[in-house]
Amino acid sequence: MAEADLSSVMPIDTSPANTLKDQAFTTTSLEHLLKRKDSRKEFIIVENNQKKAKSAAWSMFGFPARLIEDGTYSRIIGFTSCFQCKSTYTFQSDGSGSTKHLLRHNCPKVSSASETYQEEPIEKLMKSKSTSSVTLAKEDFTKMRDELTKWICSSMRPFNITHDPGLRNVLQTVIEIGKKYSGKIDGVDLLAAPTTISANIHRLAEEYRILLRSVLIEQASAGCLCICPDLWSDKHRKINYLGLIAVFVNKNHELFSVDLCCCEYNEADKTGDSVLKAIRCQLDLYGLLPFMDKKKIVFTCDRGPNILKALKGQPVILCFAHRINNVLKKGFYQQERKRAIRAATPSSKDKRSKMDIQSSSKSSSSEDETIAPSPSKYVAANTSVVELSPKARELLDIITTCKQLVKYVKLTGLNKPIQDAGGVALKQVTVVRWLSMSNLLESIESPIDYLRSILAKSTNSRQSIKLNKINVDGLKDLICLLSVFRDVSLLVQTGNRPSLHMAYIAMNKLEHHLNGTDVDKEGESITLNDRHEGTEFFRKRLFQLLKSMFSFDEKHLAAAVLHPLYRKLTFASAQWKTMAHSFIRQQIDDILGVDYHDQTFLSEPAKKKHKSMEDQFADPDDVNIDSENDIISVSASKNDELDKYLRMSIDDIYKQPNPLSFWKDNESKFPCLSLIARRLFSIPVTSAAVERSFSAAGLVVTKRRSSLDPRTLNDILFVRSIQNILEQRPNFFS
C-alpha cells in the first residue's frame, strides 16, 4: 500500500471547490493512469480517512487523486481504487455509496501473494523473475476492448457487465489456467456446454442444500430462525411459485438471509391448507418440520388471507411495510375511488368479475376494508369520500391530475423537452407500491414552471387546463406528508442489519409527523405549517388509521429494549414498557426456569436533540447512570440480567444502528439476553426479502428465457444466494 503511505505525508485537498469532476475520467482510464510509471506521481491512491468509513473494504481500497498546480493532491470524486492492483470502481462517497461490490473484489496481487505451494526447480526456471502485475500493451488492450464491445452488441448485454464480479473471476481463472500450459489453448475447451452448466447448477444446488441443512437446524434449535413466505406468478408463462427466505443471527452474532426456494407451486388451489402443505414440503427438505411443529420458527409475512390461514397457530410477525402501504391506500380512498370508477364505467359482466377477482387477490386489501375504527374516537378515519369537504377533495383531485399529467407526458415524449429546458423527468407511480406516489409528486413539483411553458405550446389544450388544477400549496403539502411515509418504508426494508426494532422508530416518526411536529437537519424541533386547508384533515385521517390498523407486537418492543440506542423506550408509554419487559423476563424464564417479578417504572431523563430518523428516537445519553432517574425498570427482589443491562453504562461505540456487535462483545456478561437478542434480531420487520427474491426471479425469467424449467430457476436463485453469502463469509459452512 505504497500510495496509502505516500498520502499520509502529502497534503490532500478534498474541498468541494478543489475536487476533480468525475466526467473527465472513466474507471478504465483511471486504472491506466494509476498504473503508469512516472516520477512526478501525478496519479496516486489516498486512504479513506472519513470517520464513518468502517467497512473492511477500506483496508484494500482508497480514492484516486491527481497532483495539481499548488503541489497538493485533489481527489477525483466518484471513484475508488484498489491499492494493490489499481482496479477502479465507481463509488459515491456522499453516504449513498455501498461497499458491497468492493468487498467482492478478488485482488490478483493479494491472491498470488497468498498462494503457498512447493514449486519444482523446472517451474522456478521457467517462471518469469518478475511476479508483479503487468500492464497490457496498447494493441492488446484495444483488441480486448473491441472483442468485449462486439460481444455486448451481438448478445445485447448491458454495458456494466464488464464490472460484473463473476465475469472478472472467470477471466482471472482463465488467466491462471493459461499459466500452467506452454502450448496454445483452444478457447472452446475452456467453455462448458449449456447442458453441462444446467446439470452443474442442479449438482451445486444439492451440495449447498446438504451443507445448509445442518446450519438451519442449528439456528432453529436455538430459536433463532425466521421464515418469510409468499406466492408469486411470472408474467410470461403465469406459473405460480412459492418463495421462502430464511433469516437468522448465528452464534457469532452475524445476520444472514438465504433464499431457501422459489419453487413451482404445484398444489390444486391456493387455500390456506394447500399453502401450508407446500410450505411444510419445502421445510422438510432441510429437516425443519419438527421445529415448526414445536413453534420454534417465527414467520414474517404480509396479510394475504391464504398465508395467514396457512400459518394459523404459528408465531407470526406481520409485515410493517405492507401495513404502512395499506394505511395510505385507505387514507387517500384508493379502493373507494376505484369502486366508484368501475361502477360509473359500463363493462361486461365477465370483465367486472375478472377485476373483482384480481382485486381480492391483493394482499390484505379485503382485511383492511373490513376495519371499522370507533366512529366517536376516529371521526376522520370514518369519513367517506362523499362526505369530504371541498378543500380535502381538492387534494385528491391534485393526485388524480398529477397521475394523468405524467401519463400524458410519457405518452407524448415530452420528458426530453422538459429535461432540455432544465427540468427533471416525470416519474410514474407503480401499481404495487402506493408510496411511489411521493416520487411522482416530487417530479412534478420541481419542474412545474418548465411544464407550464412546454404544455402551453402543446396542441392539446386539455393538458393545460389540467395543469391549472394543480394547487402548488396542496402539492407541496402532499409531498411533505408522503415523503416521511416513504422514508419510513425505505428504513424498515433494510436487508443487511436487524430491523425488528424499527417498528418502534417508524411509529414514533409517523405519529410525530402526523401531529405536525418534526426535526430539521440540525436536530431542532420544528412545527409543520400546512399551506393548504385540506391537509389537516388527511393528517388526522392517516393518524387515526395508523392507530387503528397497527398495534405493536411484544417482540417489536422487546427488540427495541435490546437495542442499546432504545433500551429505555423513552418515547413509549408505560403500558408498552411493561409489555416489553414482561416478554423479556418470560423468555429468561424459559431459558433458565426462574420466575420474573413485577416492574417498577420511575421518571425518565430529559430528551435531547437527534438528527436522523433512527437517532431521533434514541434514548437520551446516560448521565450519572446510578441515579434513580436513569433506572427504567428494576426487579422487586433481585438484579437479573435485564436490570443489569438497563442500569449499565454503554460505551458510545455500541450506540450505532446495528446492535449485534454489542451482544457479541457482551455475551459472557448477559448469556440469556444475548440469546434473546439473537432470536429477536433474526426476525425482519417486513417481508421485503422474499419480494427481492421474486424481483430476481423476474430478471431470470425474461421473454427470452420464458421456457426455463421452474426447477432450474429455483436452483439458480438458491446458488446465487449462497454465493453472495460465501463472497462475504467464506467460512459460512465451517
Side-chain angles (χ1 to χ4, degrees):
M1 293 170 59
E3 281 77 10
D5 297 335
L6 182 65
S7 68
S8 62
V9 296
M10 287 192 175
I12 307 297
D13 189 350
T14 59
S15 61
N18 203 19
T19 52
L20 300 180
K21 298 295 183 183
D22 57 349
Q23 288 85 351
F25 301 96
T26 65
T27 54
T28 304
S29 65
L30 275 176
E31 284 187 30
H32 285 287
L33 291 170
L34 290 168
K35 292 177 180 178
R36 189 176 64 183
K37 305 296 182 181
D38 67 281
S39 57
R40 288 184 66 231
K41 294 190 181 298
E42 182 180 359
F43 291 88
I44 66 169
I45 304 174
V46 300
E47 288 184 341
N48 182 1
N49 294 321
Q50 297 175 355
K51 293 182 179 180
K52 295 182 179 180
K54 298 179 180 180
S55 172
W58 298 118
S59 63
M60 184 176 293
F61 281 87
F63 297 127
R66 184 178 188 178
L67 186 66
I68 56 179
E69 293 179 358
D70 60 359
T72 63
Y73 280 94
S74 178
R75 221 186 76 204
I76 304 172
I77 60 174
F79 300 94
T80 182
S81 304
C82 175
F83 288 115
Q84 300 294 336
C85 67
K86 317 304 181 193
S87 293
T88 301
Y89 300 86
T90 56
F91 181 81
Q92 299 300 327
S93 57
D94 57 359
S96 61
S98 171
T99 59
K100 185 176 180 180
H101 62 298
L102 304 183
L103 293 169
R104 295 177 178 175
H105 174 64
N106 185 16
C107 182
K109 284 196 172 184
V110 175
S111 300
S112 60
S114 61
E115 291 177 356
T116 54
Y117 58 89
Q118 191 67 30
E119 294 181 326
E120 296 297 328
I122 187 65
E123 290 180 311
K124 292 181 179 180
L125 180 64
M126 295 183 66
K127 282 187 66 175
S128 171
K129 294 182 179 180
S130 175
T131 58
S132 60
S133 178
V134 297
T135 303
L136 284 179
K138 184 177 180 180
E139 58 271 18
D140 291 332
F141 174 78
T142 302
K143 183 178 180 180
M144 192 67 191
R145 180 196 62 193
D146 291 346
E147 290 302 319
L148 284 171
T149 304
K150 294 173 186 176
W151 169 51
I152 288 172
C153 292
S154 60
S155 298
M156 293 184 288
R157 305 299 177 188
F159 297 153
N160 62 359
I161 196 171
T162 57
H163 281 178
D164 185 86
L167 177 62
R168 293 194 172 193
N169 289 338
V170 169
L171 292 176
Q172 192 61 44
T173 302
V174 170
I175 293 171
E176 295 299 325
I177 291 175
K179 291 179 181 179
K180 299 180 180 180
Y181 300 89
S182 57
K184 183 178 179 181
I185 301 175
D186 190 340
V188 176
D189 296 337
L190 291 170
L191 300 175
T195 53
T196 304
I197 295 294
S198 177
N200 204 43
I201 288 173
H202 299 311
R203 180 193 63 79
L204 193 59
E206 287 306 311
E207 288 183 5
Y208 282 160
R209 287 191 180 98
I210 294 172
L211 293 171
L212 184 62
R213 180 186 174 99
S214 59
V215 174
L216 295 180
I217 289 176
E218 179 184 356
Q219 308 311 318
S221 300
C224 301
L225 181 64
C226 180
I227 302 294
C228 301
D230 205 353
L231 297 172
W232 173 72
S233 176
D234 76 85
K235 64 180 181 180
H236 297 288
R237 296 171 63 191
K238 306 301 180 184
I239 295 176
N240 295 318
Y241 291 87
L242 169 69
L244 295 179
I245 305 294
V247 185
F248 58 88
V249 175
N250 66 6
K251 60 184 179 182
N252 293 324
H253 291 84
E254 298 170 310
L255 179 68
F256 292 98
S257 177
V258 185
D259 296 7
L260 289 189
C261 73
C262 183
C263 59
E264 185 174 7
Y265 182 82
N266 291 315
E267 303 303 321
D269 52 42
K270 291 184 180 179
T271 61
D273 292 339
S274 297
V275 173
L276 176 61
K277 181 180 177 182
I279 292 174
R280 291 179 63 86
C281 179
Q282 291 302 313
L283 293 183
D284 190 35
L285 296 177
Y286 299 95
L288 297 176
L289 280 188
F291 302 100
M292 182 179 179
D293 293 337
K294 294 177 183 177
K295 297 179 173 52
K296 297 194 70 174
I297 297 176
V298 180
F299 292 85
T300 295
C301 65
D302 61 27
R303 289 169 168 79
N306 49 358
I307 296 288
L308 290 179
K309 186 175 180 181
L311 299 177
K312 186 177 181 180
Q314 297 293 330
V316 173
I317 292 292
L318 297 174
C319 177
F320 184 80
H322 279 83
R323 176 50 83 212
I324 295 302
N325 190 63
N326 290 333
V327 165
L328 282 173
K329 286 167 61 177
K330 191 173 181 67
F332 286 96
Y333 299 97
Q334 183 178 4
Q335 297 299 331
E336 282 193 49
R337 289 166 70 84
K338 280 186 176 180
R339 284 196 296 268
I341 293 172
R342 285 203 298 265
T345 305
S347 58
S348 65
K349 184 177 179 181
D350 292 339
K351 185 177 180 181
R352 293 187 64 179
S353 175
K354 182 179 179 181
M355 290 176 67
D356 291 339
I357 292 172
Q358 290 175 341
S359 175
S360 64
S361 68
K362 298 296 182 183
S363 64
S364 72
S365 59
S366 58
E367 177 206 351
D368 288 339
E369 289 174 6
T370 60
I371 293 178
S374 170
S376 59
K377 188 176 181 182
Y378 298 127
V379 178
N382 287 277
T383 302
S384 66
V385 68
V386 296
E387 298 170 335
L388 286 179
S389 68
K391 287 295 182 181
R393 184 180 291 275
E394 187 177 355
L395 289 180
L396 292 182
D397 291 339
I398 290 173
I399 293 175
T400 302
T401 302
C402 287
K403 291 170 67 176
Q404 293 172 346
L405 179 63
V406 172
K407 184 177 180 180
Y408 171 78
V409 169
K410 289 276 188 179
L411 290 174
T412 55
L414 290 178
N415 260 331
K416 184 66 167 61
I418 292 172
Q419 290 176 293
D420 292 342
V424 296
L426 303 193
K427 300 177 181 178
Q428 282 185 299
V429 65
T430 63
V431 177
V432 181
R433 289 288 178 265
W434 207 88
L435 281 166
S436 61
M437 178 63 67
S438 177
N439 296 329
L440 180 146
L441 297 177
E442 285 180 2
S443 71
I444 291 178
E445 191 261 342
S446 176
I448 195 163
D449 292 333
Y450 301 109
L451 278 169
R452 293 187 192 280
S453 61
I454 290 173
L455 290 178
K457 303 174 184 177
S458 174
T459 56
N460 190 340
S461 60
R462 292 178 57 191
Q463 299 306 320
S464 299
I465 296 172
K466 287 180 179 178
L467 188 59
N468 292 332
K469 286 184 178 181
I470 300 177
N471 182 292
V472 176
D473 288 340
L475 179 62
K476 290 180 178 179
D477 279 356
L478 285 171
I479 292 171
C480 178
L481 200 59
L482 291 174
S483 62
V484 176
F485 279 89
R486 179 194 59 196
D487 294 342
V488 161
S489 183
L490 291 174
L491 173 69
V492 299
Q493 293 184 69
T494 179
N496 55 9
R497 57 188 173 95
S499 62
L500 188 61
H501 64 283
M502 291 179 182
Y504 169 74
I505 304 169
M507 283 298 292
N508 275 299
K509 181 68 175 179
L510 291 173
E511 288 181 10
H512 278 69
H513 188 79
L514 294 175
N515 280 324
T517 61
D518 213 324
V519 295
D520 59 17
K521 294 181 179 180
E522 302 301 323
E524 297 285 351
S525 296
I526 58 174
T527 301
L528 301 174
N529 297 315
D530 296 327
R531 305 171 181 86
H532 192 277
E533 294 179 25
T535 307
E536 183 180 1
F537 168 78
F538 281 102
R539 283 192 184 278
K540 290 180 179 179
R541 178 172 171 82
L542 290 171
F543 179 81
Q544 293 172 9
L545 287 172
L546 194 67
K547 298 291 285 185
S548 62
M549 293 173 64
F550 177 81
S551 181
F552 282 118
D553 186 281
E554 56 190 1
K555 294 183 179 69
H556 289 137
L557 297 166
V561 170
L562 295 184
H563 194 300
L565 275 174
Y566 315 104
R567 57 180 174 151
K568 299 177 184 178
L569 295 183
T570 302
F571 297 87
S573 65
Q575 176 189 358
W576 296 128
K577 293 175 185 177
T578 301
M579 177 191 292
H581 294 167
S582 297
F583 174 81
I584 293 173
R585 287 201 166 91
Q586 286 172 350
Q587 294 297 305
I588 294 175
D589 182 47
D590 290 341
I591 296 171
L592 297 179
V594 296
D595 295 330
Y596 65 94
H597 303 273
D598 295 334
Q599 297 86 18
T600 302
F601 296 96
L602 304 178
S603 58
E604 302 172 11
K607 302 176 178 64
K608 68 168 284 188
K609 298 177 184 177
H610 297 287
K611 297 181 180 180
S612 70
M613 188 191 306
E614 290 182 87
D615 189 45
Q616 184 179 347
F617 300 101
D619 301 317
D621 290 338
D622 294 328
V623 180
N624 189 16
I625 195 67
D626 293 327
S627 69
E628 186 177 275
N629 286 342
D630 283 329
I631 303 173
I632 299 300
S633 170
V634 294
S635 174
S637 63
K638 69 183 185 66
N639 292 326
D640 61 6
E641 282 190 27
L642 180 59
D643 286 332
K644 293 176 183 178
Y645 166 66
L646 294 174
R647 289 169 176 267
M648 75 178 294
S649 178
I650 297 179
D651 294 338
D652 288 342
I653 190 176
Y654 296 120
K655 294 181 179 180
Q656 55 175 299
N658 193 333
L660 294 179
S661 59
F662 172 83
W663 292 109
K664 179 179 181 180
D665 294 344
N666 290 274
E667 184 177 13
S668 59
K669 186 182 295 185
F670 304 110
C672 292
L673 286 185
S674 180
L675 177 57
I676 297 170
R678 279 182 59 198
R679 292 175 176 175
L680 292 174
F681 292 132
S682 294
I683 307 171
V685 75
T686 75
S687 57
V690 70
E691 300 284 357
R692 285 191 286 265
S693 177
F694 291 153
S695 296
L699 295 175
V700 176
V701 184
T702 62
K703 189 175 182 179
R704 296 174 65 183
R705 303 181 71 186
S706 58
S707 61
L708 192 69
D709 189 291
R711 178 170 169 258
T712 303
L713 170 66
N714 184 32
D715 287 345
I716 288 173
L717 295 180
F718 178 69
V719 171
R720 168 183 175 269
S721 178
I722 296 297
Q723 282 301 124
N724 287 339
I725 293 175
L726 292 176
E727 287 178 10
Q728 302 288 329
R729 296 287 187 273
N731 60 344
F732 174 68
F733 289 122
S734 299

